[in-house]
mmCIF file of all heavy atoms in Angstrom:
data_model
loop_
_atom_site.group_PDB
_atom_site.id
_atom_site.type_symbol
_atom_site.label_atom_id
_atom_site.label_comp_id
_atom_site.label_asym_id
_atom_site.label_seq_id
_atom_site.Cartn_x
_atom_site.Cartn_y
_atom_site.Cartn_z
ATOM 1 N N VAL B 164 2.847 31.715 5.878
ATOM 2 C CA VAL B 164 3.297 31.197 4.584
ATOM 3 C C VAL B 164 3.642 32.344 3.651
ATOM 4 O O VAL B 164 4.698 32.385 3.029
ATOM 5 C CB VAL B 164 2.211 30.293 3.950
ATOM 6 C CG1 VAL B 164 2.545 30.002 2.509
ATOM 7 C CG2 VAL B 164 2.077 29.005 4.734
ATOM 8 N N VAL B 165 2.739 33.314 3.614
ATOM 9 C CA VAL B 165 2.919 34.394 2.654
ATOM 10 C C VAL B 165 4.046 35.343 3.095
ATOM 11 O O VAL B 165 4.617 36.068 2.295
ATOM 12 C CB VAL B 165 1.573 35.108 2.400
ATOM 13 C CG1 VAL B 165 1.296 36.170 3.429
ATOM 14 C CG2 VAL B 165 1.508 35.653 0.995
ATOM 15 N N ALA B 166 4.391 35.275 4.386
ATOM 16 C CA ALA B 166 5.478 36.126 4.888
ATOM 17 C C ALA B 166 6.844 35.696 4.332
ATOM 18 O O ALA B 166 7.821 36.418 4.450
ATOM 19 C CB ALA B 166 5.513 36.118 6.415
ATOM 20 N N VAL B 167 6.894 34.529 3.689
ATOM 21 C CA VAL B 167 8.124 34.072 3.034
ATOM 22 C C VAL B 167 8.432 34.943 1.807
ATOM 23 O O VAL B 167 9.576 35.104 1.414
ATOM 24 C CB VAL B 167 7.977 32.582 2.619
ATOM 25 C CG1 VAL B 167 9.105 32.148 1.721
ATOM 26 C CG2 VAL B 167 7.894 31.705 3.856
ATOM 27 N N ALA B 168 7.383 35.520 1.220
ATOM 28 C CA ALA B 168 7.539 36.302 -0.011
ATOM 29 C C ALA B 168 8.261 37.620 0.240
ATOM 30 O O ALA B 168 8.267 38.133 1.352
ATOM 31 C CB ALA B 168 6.168 36.569 -0.618
ATOM 32 N N ASP B 169 8.875 38.147 -0.833
ATOM 33 C CA ASP B 169 9.538 39.448 -0.736
ATOM 34 C C ASP B 169 8.520 40.583 -0.701
ATOM 35 O O ASP B 169 8.697 41.587 -0.018
ATOM 36 C CB ASP B 169 10.466 39.663 -1.945
ATOM 37 C CG ASP B 169 11.558 38.604 -2.019
ATOM 38 O OD1 ASP B 169 11.964 38.118 -0.952
ATOM 39 O OD2 ASP B 169 11.986 38.278 -3.137
ATOM 40 N N ARG B 170 7.491 40.438 -1.528
ATOM 41 C CA ARG B 170 6.449 41.466 -1.637
ATOM 42 C C ARG B 170 5.094 40.774 -1.614
ATOM 43 O O ARG B 170 4.951 39.655 -2.089
ATOM 44 C CB ARG B 170 6.581 42.257 -2.940
ATOM 45 C CG ARG B 170 7.956 42.828 -3.191
ATOM 46 C CD ARG B 170 8.106 44.256 -2.728
ATOM 47 N NE ARG B 170 8.314 44.375 -1.300
ATOM 48 C CZ ARG B 170 8.568 45.534 -0.688
ATOM 49 N NH1 ARG B 170 8.593 46.647 -1.374
ATOM 50 N NH2 ARG B 170 8.763 45.568 0.593
ATOM 51 N N ILE B 171 4.084 41.466 -1.051
ATOM 52 C CA ILE B 171 2.796 40.797 -0.866
ATOM 53 C C ILE B 171 1.642 41.602 -1.470
ATOM 54 O O ILE B 171 1.508 42.808 -1.238
ATOM 55 C CB ILE B 171 2.536 40.522 0.633
ATOM 56 C CG1 ILE B 171 3.570 39.513 1.149
ATOM 57 C CG2 ILE B 171 1.126 39.982 0.863
ATOM 58 C CD1 ILE B 171 3.589 39.342 2.645
ATOM 59 N N LEU B 172 0.836 40.882 -2.272
ATOM 60 C CA LEU B 172 -0.377 41.455 -2.853
ATOM 61 C C LEU B 172 -1.584 40.823 -2.166
ATOM 62 O O LEU B 172 -1.716 39.601 -2.144
ATOM 63 C CB LEU B 172 -0.418 41.155 -4.364
ATOM 64 C CG LEU B 172 -1.752 41.361 -5.082
ATOM 65 C CD1 LEU B 172 -2.114 42.837 -5.146
ATOM 66 C CD2 LEU B 172 -1.705 40.771 -6.489
ATOM 67 N N LEU B 173 -2.437 41.652 -1.589
ATOM 68 C CA LEU B 173 -3.670 41.157 -0.969
ATOM 69 C C LEU B 173 -4.819 41.432 -1.924
ATOM 70 O O LEU B 173 -4.983 42.553 -2.399
ATOM 71 C CB LEU B 173 -3.899 41.866 0.373
ATOM 72 C CG LEU B 173 -5.244 41.604 1.074
ATOM 73 C CD1 LEU B 173 -5.387 40.149 1.474
ATOM 74 C CD2 LEU B 173 -5.401 42.509 2.300
ATOM 75 N N VAL B 174 -5.604 40.390 -2.236
ATOM 76 C CA VAL B 174 -6.740 40.567 -3.135
ATOM 77 C C VAL B 174 -8.023 40.577 -2.308
ATOM 78 O O VAL B 174 -8.243 39.706 -1.470
ATOM 79 C CB VAL B 174 -6.799 39.441 -4.193
ATOM 80 C CG1 VAL B 174 -7.939 39.693 -5.170
ATOM 81 C CG2 VAL B 174 -5.472 39.326 -4.931
ATOM 82 N N GLU B 175 -8.836 41.595 -2.561
ATOM 83 C CA GLU B 175 -10.129 41.700 -1.894
ATOM 84 C C GLU B 175 -11.222 41.769 -2.941
ATOM 85 O O GLU B 175 -10.937 41.892 -4.129
ATOM 86 C CB GLU B 175 -10.156 42.973 -1.022
ATOM 87 C CG GLU B 175 -9.515 42.791 0.345
ATOM 88 C CD GLU B 175 -10.270 41.765 1.191
ATOM 89 O OE1 GLU B 175 -11.375 41.351 0.802
ATOM 90 O OE2 GLU B 175 -9.729 41.374 2.241
ATOM 91 N N GLY B 176 -12.475 41.731 -2.493
ATOM 92 C CA GLY B 176 -13.569 41.830 -3.446
ATOM 93 C C GLY B 176 -14.809 42.359 -2.767
ATOM 94 O O GLY B 176 -14.875 42.406 -1.538
ATOM 95 N N PRO B 177 -15.805 42.757 -3.574
ATOM 96 C CA PRO B 177 -17.027 43.289 -2.982
ATOM 97 C C PRO B 177 -17.889 42.174 -2.382
ATOM 98 O O PRO B 177 -17.688 41.001 -2.682
ATOM 99 C CB PRO B 177 -17.734 43.947 -4.164
ATOM 100 C CG PRO B 177 -17.240 43.198 -5.353
ATOM 101 C CD PRO B 177 -15.844 42.739 -5.032
ATOM 102 N N GLY B 178 -18.818 42.579 -1.546
ATOM 103 C CA GLY B 178 -19.811 41.636 -1.045
ATOM 104 C C GLY B 178 -19.257 40.643 -0.059
ATOM 105 O O GLY B 178 -19.680 39.494 -0.016
ATOM 106 N N ARG B 179 -18.293 41.061 0.737
ATOM 107 C CA ARG B 179 -17.743 40.118 1.698
ATOM 108 C C ARG B 179 -17.998 40.555 3.137
ATOM 109 O O ARG B 179 -17.320 40.149 4.058
ATOM 110 C CB ARG B 179 -16.244 39.940 1.475
ATOM 111 C CG ARG B 179 -15.944 39.235 0.172
ATOM 112 C CD ARG B 179 -14.822 38.253 0.306
ATOM 113 N NE ARG B 179 -13.666 38.803 0.965
ATOM 114 C CZ ARG B 179 -13.329 38.563 2.217
ATOM 115 N NH1 ARG B 179 -14.075 37.788 2.962
ATOM 116 N NH2 ARG B 179 -12.247 39.096 2.732
ATOM 117 N N GLY B 180 -18.991 41.449 3.307
ATOM 118 C CA GLY B 180 -19.307 41.888 4.660
ATOM 119 C C GLY B 180 -18.200 42.741 5.226
ATOM 120 O O GLY B 180 -17.532 43.470 4.498
ATOM 121 N N ASP B 181 -17.996 42.617 6.506
ATOM 122 C CA ASP B 181 -17.036 43.490 7.170
ATOM 123 C C ASP B 181 -15.628 42.916 7.056
ATOM 124 O O ASP B 181 -15.137 42.224 7.924
ATOM 125 C CB ASP B 181 -17.433 43.637 8.639
ATOM 126 C CG ASP B 181 -16.834 44.896 9.224
ATOM 127 O OD1 ASP B 181 -15.834 45.376 8.659
ATOM 128 O OD2 ASP B 181 -17.362 45.381 10.234
ATOM 129 N N ILE B 182 -14.964 43.254 5.958
ATOM 130 C CA ILE B 182 -13.662 42.648 5.670
ATOM 131 C C ILE B 182 -12.620 42.962 6.731
ATOM 132 O O ILE B 182 -11.916 42.090 7.189
ATOM 133 C CB ILE B 182 -13.060 43.194 4.361
ATOM 134 C CG1 ILE B 182 -14.136 43.327 3.318
ATOM 135 C CG2 ILE B 182 -11.933 42.318 3.882
ATOM 136 C CD1 ILE B 182 -13.635 44.055 2.132
ATOM 137 N N ILE B 183 -12.541 44.219 7.053
ATOM 138 C CA ILE B 183 -11.476 44.647 7.955
ATOM 139 C C ILE B 183 -11.583 43.881 9.262
ATOM 140 O O ILE B 183 -10.598 43.415 9.818
ATOM 141 C CB ILE B 183 -11.565 46.164 8.234
ATOM 142 C CG1 ILE B 183 -11.655 46.926 6.934
ATOM 143 C CG2 ILE B 183 -10.387 46.624 9.061
ATOM 144 C CD1 ILE B 183 -10.511 46.696 5.984
ATOM 145 N N GLN B 184 -12.817 43.730 9.706
ATOM 146 C CA GLN B 184 -13.065 42.985 10.928
ATOM 147 C C GLN B 184 -12.544 41.556 10.782
ATOM 148 O O GLN B 184 -11.868 41.042 11.662
ATOM 149 C CB GLN B 184 -14.578 42.966 11.195
ATOM 150 C CG GLN B 184 -14.963 42.578 12.586
ATOM 151 C CD GLN B 184 -14.370 43.534 13.616
ATOM 152 O OE1 GLN B 184 -14.124 44.686 13.332
ATOM 153 N NE2 GLN B 184 -14.104 43.015 14.807
ATOM 154 N N ALA B 185 -12.864 40.948 9.649
ATOM 155 C CA ALA B 185 -12.512 39.548 9.435
ATOM 156 C C ALA B 185 -10.998 39.373 9.335
ATOM 157 O O ALA B 185 -10.424 38.465 9.915
ATOM 158 C CB ALA B 185 -13.185 39.026 8.179
ATOM 159 N N GLU B 186 -10.366 40.254 8.604
ATOM 160 C CA GLU B 186 -8.943 40.049 8.335
ATOM 161 C C GLU B 186 -8.066 40.451 9.512
ATOM 162 O O GLU B 186 -6.932 40.008 9.624
ATOM 163 C CB GLU B 186 -8.526 40.865 7.114
ATOM 164 C CG GLU B 186 -7.893 40.025 6.058
ATOM 165 C CD GLU B 186 -8.913 39.566 5.044
ATOM 166 O OE1 GLU B 186 -9.782 40.358 4.665
ATOM 167 O OE2 GLU B 186 -8.833 38.410 4.642
ATOM 168 N N LYS B 187 -8.592 41.314 10.333
ATOM 169 C CA LYS B 187 -7.811 41.891 11.435
ATOM 170 C C LYS B 187 -6.554 42.531 10.865
ATOM 171 O O LYS B 187 -6.410 42.723 9.665
ATOM 172 C CB LYS B 187 -7.477 40.813 12.464
ATOM 173 C CG LYS B 187 -8.706 40.214 13.122
ATOM 174 C CD LYS B 187 -9.020 40.943 14.430
ATOM 175 C CE LYS B 187 -10.434 40.716 14.913
ATOM 176 N NZ LYS B 187 -10.901 39.369 14.863
ATOM 177 N N ALA B 188 -5.647 42.868 11.686
ATOM 178 C CA ALA B 188 -4.484 43.612 11.198
ATOM 179 C C ALA B 188 -3.560 42.711 10.387
ATOM 180 O O ALA B 188 -3.120 43.064 9.312
ATOM 181 C CB ALA B 188 -3.741 44.210 12.364
ATOM 182 N N GLY B 189 -3.289 41.509 10.867
ATOM 183 C CA GLY B 189 -2.294 40.576 10.321
ATOM 184 C C GLY B 189 -1.882 40.789 8.882
ATOM 185 O O GLY B 189 -0.804 41.311 8.614
ATOM 186 N N ILE B 190 -2.747 40.423 7.973
ATOM 187 C CA ILE B 190 -2.310 40.374 6.581
ATOM 188 C C ILE B 190 -2.240 41.759 5.954
ATOM 189 O O ILE B 190 -1.398 42.022 5.116
ATOM 190 C CB ILE B 190 -3.216 39.408 5.771
ATOM 191 C CG1 ILE B 190 -2.563 39.087 4.443
ATOM 192 C CG2 ILE B 190 -4.613 39.939 5.580
ATOM 193 C CD1 ILE B 190 -1.268 38.331 4.571
ATOM 194 N N ILE B 191 -3.114 42.646 6.366
ATOM 195 C CA ILE B 191 -3.093 43.998 5.797
ATOM 196 C C ILE B 191 -1.784 44.689 6.161
ATOM 197 O O ILE B 191 -1.181 45.396 5.352
ATOM 198 C CB ILE B 191 -4.316 44.808 6.297
ATOM 199 C CG1 ILE B 191 -5.572 44.287 5.599
ATOM 200 C CG2 ILE B 191 -4.140 46.305 6.049
ATOM 201 C CD1 ILE B 191 -6.803 45.127 5.751
ATOM 202 N N GLU B 192 -1.317 44.413 7.369
ATOM 203 C CA GLU B 192 -0.060 44.967 7.847
ATOM 204 C C GLU B 192 1.113 44.559 6.954
ATOM 205 O O GLU B 192 2.077 45.295 6.792
ATOM 206 C CB GLU B 192 0.191 44.390 9.242
ATOM 207 C CG GLU B 192 0.607 45.348 10.318
ATOM 208 C CD GLU B 192 0.608 44.642 11.653
ATOM 209 O OE1 GLU B 192 1.603 43.964 11.956
ATOM 210 O OE2 GLU B 192 -0.407 44.730 12.368
ATOM 211 N N LEU B 193 1.025 43.330 6.424
ATOM 212 C CA LEU B 193 2.122 42.795 5.623
ATOM 213 C C LEU B 193 2.039 43.201 4.156
ATOM 214 O O LEU B 193 3.006 43.084 3.410
ATOM 215 C CB LEU B 193 2.129 41.260 5.688
ATOM 216 C CG LEU B 193 2.466 40.602 7.024
ATOM 217 C CD1 LEU B 193 2.315 39.110 6.920
ATOM 218 C CD2 LEU B 193 3.877 40.964 7.447
ATOM 219 N N SER B 194 0.865 43.665 3.722
ATOM 220 C CA SER B 194 0.642 43.861 2.285
ATOM 221 C C SER B 194 1.343 45.088 1.739
ATOM 222 O O SER B 194 1.418 46.121 2.393
ATOM 223 C CB SER B 194 -0.857 43.983 2.005
ATOM 224 O OG SER B 194 -1.532 42.867 2.519
ATOM 225 N N ASP B 195 1.870 44.950 0.512
ATOM 226 C CA ASP B 195 2.457 46.080 -0.182
ATOM 227 C C ASP B 195 1.447 46.727 -1.119
ATOM 228 O O ASP B 195 1.509 47.912 -1.403
ATOM 229 C CB ASP B 195 3.682 45.624 -0.982
ATOM 230 C CG ASP B 195 4.756 45.063 -0.074
ATOM 231 O OD1 ASP B 195 5.353 45.846 0.663
ATOM 232 O OD2 ASP B 195 4.956 43.833 -0.082
ATOM 233 N N ILE B 196 0.531 45.885 -1.627
ATOM 234 C CA ILE B 196 -0.523 46.384 -2.520
ATOM 235 C C ILE B 196 -1.818 45.666 -2.153
ATOM 236 O O ILE B 196 -1.810 44.464 -1.871
ATOM 237 C CB ILE B 196 -0.218 46.065 -4.002
ATOM 238 C CG1 ILE B 196 1.082 46.736 -4.445
ATOM 239 C CG2 ILE B 196 -1.364 46.513 -4.902
ATOM 240 C CD1 ILE B 196 1.427 46.467 -5.890
#
Side-chain angles (χ1 to χ4, degrees):
Chain B
V164 168
V165 85
V167 169
D169 299 329
R170 308 265 79 175
I171 295 169
L172 165 68
L173 172 64
V174 183
E175 277 297 350
R179 292 220 311 103
D181 202 338
I182 319 171
I183 309 302
Q184 196 60 28
E186 235 94 41
K187 297 266 162 45
I190 194 65
I191 287 192
E192 227 172 82
L193 293 176
S194 305
D195 298 290
I196 299 180

